[in-house]
Structures are given as C-alpha cells and as structure tokens.
Amino acid sequence: MALSTRFASPLRPALAALRRAAPGQHRGLTALPGPGHTLDLRGIFPPLATPFSPTQEVDYAQLEGNLCRYASIPFRGLVVLGSNGEYPYLAPHERLEVVRCVRRALPRDRLLLAGSGCESTQATIEMTVSMAEAGADVALVVTPCYYRGAMTSAALIQHYTEITRMGLMVHKTRQEDFQVLAGSASFLLASYALGASGGVCALANVLGAPLCQLDCLCREGRWQEARDLQHRLIEPNMAVTRRFGIPGLKKAMEWFGYYGGPCRAPLAPLSPPQVEELRGTFSTNGWL
C-alpha cells in the first residue's frame, strides 16, 4: 500500500463475509477472491486533512467545501483518516462521520480509502465494519505501536490475519493482480518507473492538479516533462511532510484556496518564521 505499515483490502466483500458468519464463528474479515472484487488503484489519492473549527471541533462544512474544490481534479479517489487526517485525535463517532461526509460528496466512480486502524485487533475489526457501512471502499490498517515491545512478528501476523488475511507483499505477488502506491510525492516519478500504480501523497491536498499531471505524463511516457515537474515538487513535499508536518500542510492549503485551519491539540501551529520559510519553499519552486 502507500506506506509499509499500512495494508489495503476491499471492504464490501469483507463486510458481506462477516454478516454471513454464524454466531460464535471466527469473526475475522476475509477479502473474498475473484475478479469481481478487484479494485483499480491507478492514480493519485490525497490523504485528506481533517478541518477543525477555531474551537477544535471537526468542521464538516469546511470539509465539504474542500471536497467541492477537489471535485474538479482528476483524483482516483480520496484517503481519509490517515496520519494527515489526525485520526489518533478523533473520537470513533467523529471518524465515522468524516467517512459519511466524504462518501456523500464523492462520485461513486471514485474510491474512498479510510483509515480504520486501532490499537487492538477487535477494535480494528469493529471499526473496519463500521466504516464499510458508512461508505468506505478500502480499509487502511495501521500497525499497532503502543505496546511496542510486545509487537513481535508473530503478534503482528496474527493481528493482520484476523483483520484482512493479507499475504506477503510485492515480491511475492509480482505475477498476481496486485498494485503498489507510492507514499510520497518526492519519489512519485521513480515509483512509476519501477511499476507503481499511483500514489497517496500529502502534497496532493495542496497541488493536486500538478500531481495528477505527473501521473499522466508518466503513463504517456513523457519522461523529460515528468522529470522537470517532479523536481519542482520535491522541496514543497518535504516541507509539508517531514519538515513542518500537518501544521505546514494546513497552512499551505490556505494559500491555494482550501480551508486548512488549526490542528487539534497538542499539535501546535507554525511560528511566523516557519510560515515564511514554508512560503519561500513554494515560491522558489514556482508555485506561489
């Protein structure tokens, strides 16, 4: 999937399998095999930021406003409740309402990927089922990390087996119907050159159209144009991810007509010097 710690599985077949399970039967979710359940993940997916009001409540009206602006960009779909969505700071009912809100606004031909990960296996299964019912197409499951010392290979294998029945990753599925998404705009071009299908890129919240253009250039084999565009995206991407994180991402969104707004505490806003440094990064690369 987009990140090595996340795995994707189609939710609709898994939910159907769970509903058919008899009382007392094993309750793990299994993605059913067969071509009828294949999802096409080719394209760009922005991992959406969650808008908050000045009082740090989820601002669903601003979320809908951002979705309207994103509707004109040819994204393959949207990711909600990933790390850029501040999902650890949202209550379960807020996470589900975000999924419902995005699903209502999203055309049916676009995929909705939702972060359903929790620390316990049981809670993750329950959240995954609820998100499927709320309209998500794909689950993103994060690796449990709170009791880090106890997260042995055996424990993690058991965790993912209970949820998604995942097998080995890319090196074991080269001959299968299997797709890989890049997890950053910084190496999107290189990922396409190696056979990736698309990307889940934080920068797409800000520069969605240029990232979709890069996707198109790579598919058409226009590598020099793709290379030139890729170089202009590297520094802005680093600024809104590794350097300034979610506060930087939300600040940059405001310069491009989206609602960024505050983060939920304890994430703090950027300082004025940080804001100027961030602005300079976008300006020197020709985006502002």
Side-chain angles (χ1 to χ4, degrees), residues 121 144 147 149-162:
T121 302
Y147 295 108
M151 291 300 103
T152 63
S153 295
L156 293 177
I157 289 171
Q158 179 67 17
H159 175 74
Y160 283 112
T161 299
E162 290 288 326

Side-chain angles (χ1 to χ4, degrees), residues 11 43 67 89 103 105 124 164 177 251:
L11 289 189
L67 293 171
Y89 299 161
R103 182 72 273 175
T124 301
T164 62
D177 183 11
K251 176 56 67 174

